[in-house]
Amino acid sequence: MRGPLVVKRAFSEPLLLLAAFGSILLATTTLVALTMYATSIADVGVRRTMETASLRQVAATIAAPVTSETFPRLDQAVGAQVGKAYAGAPAAITTSFASDSYTLPGQEGRKTPELLRFGSYDGLDQHAKLVSGAWPKASGDTVEAAISLSAASATGFKAGQEISTEGRLDHKAVKVRISGVFQLNDPFGDRWTGEQLLSRGVTVSDYTTYGPLMVPRETFLARFATNVTATWTSVPDLRALTPEQLRPFAARVAQLREELKRNGCPSCTAESRLPDILSQLDTAALVARSTMLIPVLQLLLLAAYALMLTARLLADHRRMEVALLRSRGAGTVRLAVLAGGEALLVAIPCAVVAPFLGPPLLALVNALPWIRASGVRLAPDADLGTFLVSIGVALASAALLVLPALAGARRTYVEEQAARGRSGGRGLVERAGADLALLVVAGLAIWQLQHYGAPVTATASGALGIDPLIISGPALALLTGGMLGLRLVPRISKVAERITSRRPTLAPALGAWQVSRRPLKYAGPALLLTMAVAIGIVSMATASTWRSSQLDQARHQAGTDLRLSGPPDGPELGTFGRGTAFAALPGVTASSPAFRGQVELSGEDAVLLGLDAAKLGELFQLRPDLSAQPVPELGRALVSARGQNGGVTVPGSPARLTVEVRASGRVPLRLVLADALGVWRELPLGMLKAGDNRLDVDLKALAGQSGKITYPLSVRGLIANPPQEGGVDVSLTGLSADGRPFTPPPATLRATGSHPVVAAFPPARVAPLPVVLTADLAKTLKLDAGQVGRVTLDRRIIEVKVAGVVERMPTTTPDQSAVLADWAALQEHGLAAGQPPRPATEWWLATTGTAASQALKAKPEWDVTTVDQRELVATLQDDPLASGLQGALILGFLAALVFAALGFLVNATVAARERMGEFAILRALGVSFRQVFGLLAIEQTFVIGLSLAAGTALAVVVGVLVVPHIVLTGQASAVTPDVVLDIPWAATAVMLVLVAAVLFAIVAVLARNLRRQGLGRVLEDQ
């Protein structure tokens, strides 16, 4: 009889049974989906990171000196050890060579001739395209070689040309035929990091070197392998690696160098960033999984409370039934069996169905914009682990349904009758102070989260592991905050009762009196709604904060819309040609040359950044909270030290500038020019002789082969180095542009002593240099905004005026101090000290789209590396490890709202049914149905209003304490700049209005059903 009795008893309360079934099904399905999501996103994140990792990150570089005799043996040893270390991830190995130096044809007799090098690179034809000619082949006496376009432009070599050269060491002559000219597909990609001569074509140090002339491997080994260096680059295929394989794989790669030395290649060196990256990725996957446990635990607490609330309603509804069964001889065991069977009747179907509902639910996550845009597709299948989670959650839910029934199983009928009329103002948890104890635990957990920066800590073995206290902190904070809010229910209800009792209307007074008389009846649903609303707002705030943080990170890393870096001078675009070409790119609205370099500022290492401060508001992207002053104000302060005019203007657009000077002796002289974009260039005029000197400067050469100068040019100054003994007087007597004279400024200088002497146009002003300092540097220098101080800049004492202090300087790392100065003021201060102008190592561009970035990709010969803010944003937002939390939050958010609506519906319906007798008496006394509905609406409005207000306040507190510490980078590191909480108040208001509308709609539908049924009929049913 137990089975049928359990079924009959369960279906005697269809509403509560359906509510319990819905709560358990929702809990099991959502938690199963979240578990599958956390596991899947970690796997997808690791795989995506491996697929998109740059060659520099994953490649291992092995180098060793070789000859034609030793190379085969070393090559075999390297291949064997790389294959052993990369077991499970096959590696493609590329071998490259670089020869000794050879003399450039025609310069054999020079003491310091320009040089050539030969080289070989496996599969070069797969990474380059021919511009002319053909790829070289192994040949006889005459060596066939291909040359890069940049090297061919610098040397004048052409396809089909034959040249002769000789070795600098062995002086052996080599005849070479240029078989072809090629252009690398990506000359500045990671593949060519160690091949600077190949990517650039020319390197300048003590000697100018061109090349390399690329020959087949066979030719190189036969003709040029004279104890030269061979480099093996191995690139593993990491797509098959799982998160569990990361650490063992990283350990094998880290031992590659030692294994090579023990197994046939004692002279080999091996370098790879892969072990560090794999270890970091393993940590990131662990942090991603642990962070996604935060919404899981929040949902667990909410589900548990919703089930307990339903179970309590069910137990309260059956308390008299249970008491009668007790009086008829039913023991505790029998009642427990009945309650357990009823709970399992609901839970078991949920345990079976939930694993199959998880994947469709995750399909909805795939529809999220940032998940869909990243290309991540989650398609997990239900496995044994999924069913274990589902069964565990379902059984735990069944236990929660049974507990309230067991708690009241020992009461007799008389005790139940006496208890029905009692309803204290304080619950057991509040009387025991458990909410305060939980507050202490939650505070400790949140403190640890803020201290460690992630929900992981070191285990006893030294490895990283998930800290259960830390990940439970946000959930405990929500529960504790909600429970503390319950203490307000009796107090607020009494205040409402006093206010409404003075009003003539009946419904508000009765509603407030009802809540004040039985506050615990309303505390349960209020806590459920409070937690659900708080979880929803915290989820939206976390998602919004994450998106804002990705944009902040991209802006900080780029500094501007598009930042270009590269050599300040090159054969294609010269010093005065680069800015002209960059400013003409499509979509560019503002541009500025920039200098970036490491300097020593009063004993502290700092990054010096020079920019056109007049355009700082357009270019410099600094988050407003990182500075007490807005960026345009900082720009105006920096510009204040700039000279009033820009030197001596050179009229027209000349191709040649002639400088006429008179000197009293031999002295080297330098000329400083600037173009209309503000780029400065120092030009050596050579050694002056005593008397009149006429010196010509080829201006077109300063633009490069395809560059154009932005006119007008201006003469900024003359610099003379003093002779070894005595002094020399130098006077500027004339200036001509393409033979047309123009008035020179009066300039006379005496070169004497030990320091360069400068004639600046206009004369340099003695004024403090305005600078913007990072907060740590300002603290070290003991300077604040507006103060003037003396500092040492590159061993030169100067006066600076602090124009502003910023917490973080864009384009720098968190551990870098930095100083920002106006480009022109910085150049003028340097010129006054006789220093050469600082080169434009970067260009900052403000753009209106991606057209400029796309145009640069089609110009590899321009020799620039781009940092595109828009591409950075897309890259950051497409990282599954960083963005995975957002999908989990959405799942938890939706589940929380459904739990809230379901719990409110059940509580409101049961509460109304329990008070049918009261409503019938009110109707008999002449109270209209509208007044009865008003009474019901006032009671539920109290619950809804209090819950929405308390949930919002609780979400703000938890958001401030928690959210900035769970938003991390894809590498599980702290975000730069610091995360700022972003609560989307407009979306929050819409969410609150929708929740309130749904809840009031439930009340309206309930009242309508009561009216349709008729209170008299309902009273008969009771």
Side-chain angles (χ1 to χ4, degrees):
M1 294 295 293
R2 290 181 181 177
L5 178 60
V6 168
V7 174
K8 183 177 180 181
R9 187 170 185 260
F11 282 93
S12 66
E13 294 293 340
L15 175 64
L16 293 176
L17 180 70
L18 184 61
F21 176 79
S23 297
I24 296 177
L25 182 61
L26 180 61
T28 51
T29 302
T30 308
L31 291 171
V32 163
L34 282 172
T35 304
M36 298 169 73
Y37 181 83
T39 303
S40 300
I41 205 71
D43 291 341
V44 170
V46 169
R47 206 172 303 279
R48 169 62 63 83
T49 304
M50 290 293 93
E51 290 174 354
T52 58
S54 65
L55 185 141
R56 183 186 302 181
Q57 291 176 313
V58 301
T61 302
I62 303 164
V66 299
T67 64
S68 57
E69 293 78 17
T70 61
F71 174 76
R73 175 178 56 82
L74 295 179
D75 185 53
Q76 184 177 6
V78 169
Q81 294 307 313
V82 168
K84 181 179 178 181
Y86 287 10
I93 302 178
T94 302
T95 309
S96 61
F97 305 88
S99 73
D100 292 326
S101 300
Y102 286 75
T103 305
L104 192 70
Q107 300 187 13
E108 290 80 4
R110 291 188 182 182
K111 184 177 180 180
T112 55
E114 295 178 317
L115 306 176
L116 285 176
R117 286 188 186 273
F118 291 87
S120 177
Y121 193 95
D122 290 349
L124 179 63
D125 57 343
Q126 300 175 16
H127 306 290
K129 59 183 178 182
L130 282 171
V131 177
S132 60
W135 291 109
K137 299 178 181 178
S139 57
D141 294 337
T142 300
V143 174
E144 287 192 4
I147 189 170
S148 66
L149 179 61
S150 55
S153 300
T155 59
F157 295 162
K158 298 179 180 179
Q161 182 179 353
E162 292 192 3
I163 61 173
S164 294
T165 181
E166 68 174 32
R168 287 276 291 167
L169 298 179
D170 58 13
H171 299 286
K172 289 184 178 180
V174 179
K175 291 184 178 180
V176 183
R177 188 178 73 85
I178 306 299
S179 66
V181 178
F182 65 89
Q183 174 67 54
L184 295 176
N185 296 335
D186 183 15
F188 308 108
D190 290 342
R191 179 175 297 277
W192 316 112
T193 300
E195 305 279 354
Q196 290 192 9
L197 183 59
L198 179 58
S199 62
R200 299 186 183 278
V202 183
T203 60
V204 180
S205 55
D206 294 336
Y207 289 84
T208 300
T209 305
Y210 302 96
L213 300 177
M214 304 302 292
V215 300
R217 180 198 279 202
E218 298 83 357
T219 301
F220 190 96
L221 291 175
R223 304 290 295 269
F224 304 102
T226 55
N227 201 31
V228 297
T229 299
T231 302
W232 294 267
T233 303
S234 60
V235 182
D237 183 357
L238 301 174
R239 290 174 295 179
L241 281 186
T242 63
E244 293 75 18
Q245 295 173 318
L246 291 180
R247 287 188 182 275
F249 190 87
R252 293 198 304 271
V253 176
Q255 294 297 318
L256 181 58
R257 181 176 182 179
E258 298 301 323
E259 292 296 324
L260 283 168
K261 288 186 175 182
R262 286 196 295 264
N263 294 275
C265 190
S267 59
C268 281
T269 62
E271 295 181 358
S272 177
R273 298 172 59 187
L274 188 58
D276 292 337
I277 292 172
L278 291 178
S279 298
Q280 187 180 43
L281 187 58
D282 187 29
T283 301
L286 176 63
V287 171
R289 287 193 296 265
S290 63
T291 305
M292 281 184 278
L293 285 177
I294 292 176
V296 170
L297 290 180
Q298 292 176 354
L299 188 60
L300 271 175
L301 279 179
L302 186 65
Y305 188 76
L307 283 169
M308 290 182 65
L309 200 58
T310 303
R312 194 192 73 182
L313 290 174
L314 188 61
D316 287 347
H317 201 67
R318 287 179 171 166
R319 63 198 309 183
M320 300 306 300
E321 175 188 329
V322 171
L324 287 173
L325 289 174
R326 288 281 295 170
S327 65
R328 294 179 181 179
T332 303
V333 175
R334 176 64 183 276
L335 292 175
V337 170
L338 285 173
E342 188 177 14
L344 290 175
L345 186 66
V346 177
I348 290 176
C350 297
V352 175
V353 173
F356 299 101
L357 295 179
L361 191 58
L362 289 182
L364 298 177
V365 177
N366 276 330
L368 295 174
W370 54 89
I371 298 292
R372 186 175 62 252
S374 66
V376 175
R377 295 294 177 265
L378 303 177
D381 297 322
D383 54 12
L384 179 60
T386 303
F387 278 98
L388 291 177
V389 171
S390 179
I391 293 171
V393 174
L395 291 179
S397 302
L400 291 175
L401 283 177
V402 172
L403 288 177
L406 293 179
R410 294 182 178 277
R411 291 179 179 175
T412 64
Y413 181 80
V414 176
E415 291 172 338
E416 290 292 352
Q417 285 283 39
R420 290 191 67 179
R422 297 196 300 266
S423 179
R426 300 172 65 200
L428 176 61
V429 172
E430 182 179 344
R431 293 196 301 271
D435 50 354
L436 297 178
L438 279 176
L439 178 62
V440 174
V441 176
L444 177 62
I446 291 176
W447 176 83
Q448 284 190 316
L449 175 61
Q450 295 176 343
H451 178 71
Y452 291 114
V456 294
T457 55
T459 62
S461 62
L464 288 178
I466 297 175
D467 190 318
L469 179 61
I470 295 179
I471 63 171
S472 64
L476 290 176
L478 291 173
L479 176 61
T480 304
M483 293 173 65
L484 290 174
L486 293 183
R487 292 174 176 262
L488 300 176
V489 174
R491 295 166 177 81
I492 295 177
S493 62
K494 289 185 181 300
V495 173
E497 181 186 2
R498 285 196 295 270
I499 294 174
T500 55
S501 63
R502 302 190 186 116
R503 302 177 64 87
T505 51
L506 177 64
L510 282 178
W513 175 78
Q514 176 69 21
V515 176
S516 176
R517 183 170 65 94
R518 295 191 296 181
L520 291 184
K521 284 286 186 181
Y522 301 91
L527 177 57
L528 178 65
L529 285 176
T530 298
M531 290 181 61
V533 169
I535 289 175
I537 297 177
V538 169
S539 298
M540 293 194 331
T542 305
S544 179
T545 300
W546 181 85
R547 288 191 293 271
S548 299
S549 179
Q550 308 312 302
L551 181 58
D552 290 342
Q553 291 177 63
R555 285 176 171 170
H556 181 82
Q557 293 176 27
T560 188
D561 292 335
L562 187 63
R563 178 160 55 91
L564 313 180
S565 59
D569 193 11
E572 192 70 21
L573 293 179
T575 303
F576 289 163
R578 298 178 74 79
T580 307
F582 300 153
L585 289 170
V588 174
T589 59
S591 64
S592 168
F595 171 80
R596 176 192 305 278
Q598 196 77 19
V599 297
E600 183 179 306
L601 194 67
S602 292
E604 298 292 326
D605 289 334
V607 174
L608 174 61
L609 186 62
L611 275 174
D612 184 352
K615 300 177 181 178
L616 213 62
E618 301 172 79
L619 295 171
F620 197 64
Q621 297 186 349
L622 179 72
R623 202 171 66 189
D625 66 298
L626 297 178
S627 172
Q629 302 157 271
V631 171
E633 184 178 328
L634 291 176
R636 287 191 293 271
L638 292 175
V639 169
S640 62
R642 189 184 289 185
Q644 296 300 316
N645 54 60
V648 179
T649 301
V650 178
S653 303
R656 185 173 297 276
L657 179 68
T658 302
V659 181
E660 298 177 12
V661 293
R662 180 179 296 115
S664 63
R666 292 176 58 81
V667 64
L669 188 67
R670 292 171 284 161
L671 174 71
V672 179
L673 280 179
D675 68 1
L677 297 177
V679 180
W680 290 40
R681 171 70 185 266
E682 180 187 80
L683 300 173
L685 298 178
M687 183 70 70
L688 300 181
K689 66 179 186 295
D692 292 331
N693 295 265
R694 183 182 179 89
L695 310 165
D696 289 331
V697 179
D698 182 7
L699 299 179
K700 287 297 185 181
L702 300 178
Q705 294 179 2
S706 62
K708 296 180 180 179
I709 298 176
T710 301
Y711 293 98
L713 298 176
S714 60
V715 179
R716 303 303 306 234
L718 292 172
I719 303 175
N721 289 339
Q724 294 182 354
E725 296 180 359
V728 175
D729 294 321
V730 178
S731 299
L732 179 63
T733 59
L735 290 173
S736 301
D738 282 344
R740 293 186 296 273
F742 60 96
T743 305
T748 301
L749 50 85
R750 180 169 177 78
T752 184
S754 59
H755 298 288
V757 182
V758 179
F761 313 130
R765 296 187 305 158
V766 180
L769 175 66
V771 295
V772 174
L773 304 176
T774 52
D776 56 342
L777 188 58
K779 183 178 180 181
T780 301
L781 299 177
K782 298 180 181 179
L783 292 174
D784 205 349
Q787 293 183 339
V788 176
R790 294 173 65 85
V791 300
T792 302
L793 178 62
D794 286 341
R795 298 181 296 279
R796 182 169 61 94
I797 297 177
I798 64 170
E799 274 196 341
V800 297
K801 181 179 181 180
V802 181
V805 177
V806 297
E807 292 297 322
R808 293 277 190 272
M809 188 71 72
T811 72
T812 63
T813 59
D815 59 345
Q816 284 183 322
S817 301
V819 54
L820 170 67
D822 175 55
W823 168 267
L826 188 64
Q827 299 285 39
E828 289 172 2
H829 271 71
L831 178 63
Q835 293 182 333
R838 298 184 187 271
T841 58
E842 294 182 346
W843 281 85
W844 290 40
L845 309 178
T847 63
T848 57
T850 61
S853 179
Q854 296 300 321
L856 283 169
K857 292 178 181 178
K859 296 287 186 179
E861 66 275 10
W862 283 8
D863 198 1
V864 292
T865 302
T866 63
V867 179
D868 189 336
Q869 178 203 301
R870 296 174 179 85
E871 291 183 0
L872 277 175
V873 172
T875 301
L876 291 171
Q877 292 185 346
D878 289 351
D879 186 349
L881 291 178
S883 64
L885 179 62
Q886 314 314 305
L889 289 171
I890 293 297
L891 284 174
F893 166 65
L894 296 177
L897 295 185
V898 175
F899 269 122
L902 184 60
F904 181 83
L905 171 64
V906 173
N907 278 274
T909 303
V910 171
R913 288 176 54 184
E914 288 180 346
R915 297 171 58 201
M916 282 301 147
E918 177 185 332
F919 292 157
I921 293 173
L922 289 174
R923 290 285 288 145
L925 292 175
V927 177
S928 66
F929 183 82
R930 178 175 296 180
Q931 289 177 312
V932 173
F933 173 68
L935 167 64
L936 187 62
I938 289 295
E939 296 173 7
Q940 301 304 326
T941 298
F942 178 85
V943 175
I944 295 171
L946 181 62
S947 301
L948 295 183
T952 302
L954 179 59
V956 171
V957 174
V958 174
V960 170
L961 295 175
V962 172
V963 171
H965 302 282
I966 62 175
V967 174
L968 304 172
T969 68
Q971 290 73 43
S973 58
V975 171
T976 302
D978 297 338
V979 178
V980 175
L981 177 66
D982 179 20
I983 299 178
W985 287 112
T988 298
V990 172
M991 188 269 287
L992 293 175
V993 170
L994 291 177
V995 169
V998 170
L999 298 181
F1000 280 119
I1002 291 174
V1003 175
V1005 171
L1006 176 61
R1008 182 179 180 184
N1009 289 338
L1010 292 178
R1011 185 170 190 175
R1012 182 183 300 172
Q1013 292 177 3
L1015 292 178
R1017 179 181 174 185
V1018 174
L1019 185 59
E1020 290 177 2
D1021 292 340
Q1022 298 296 316

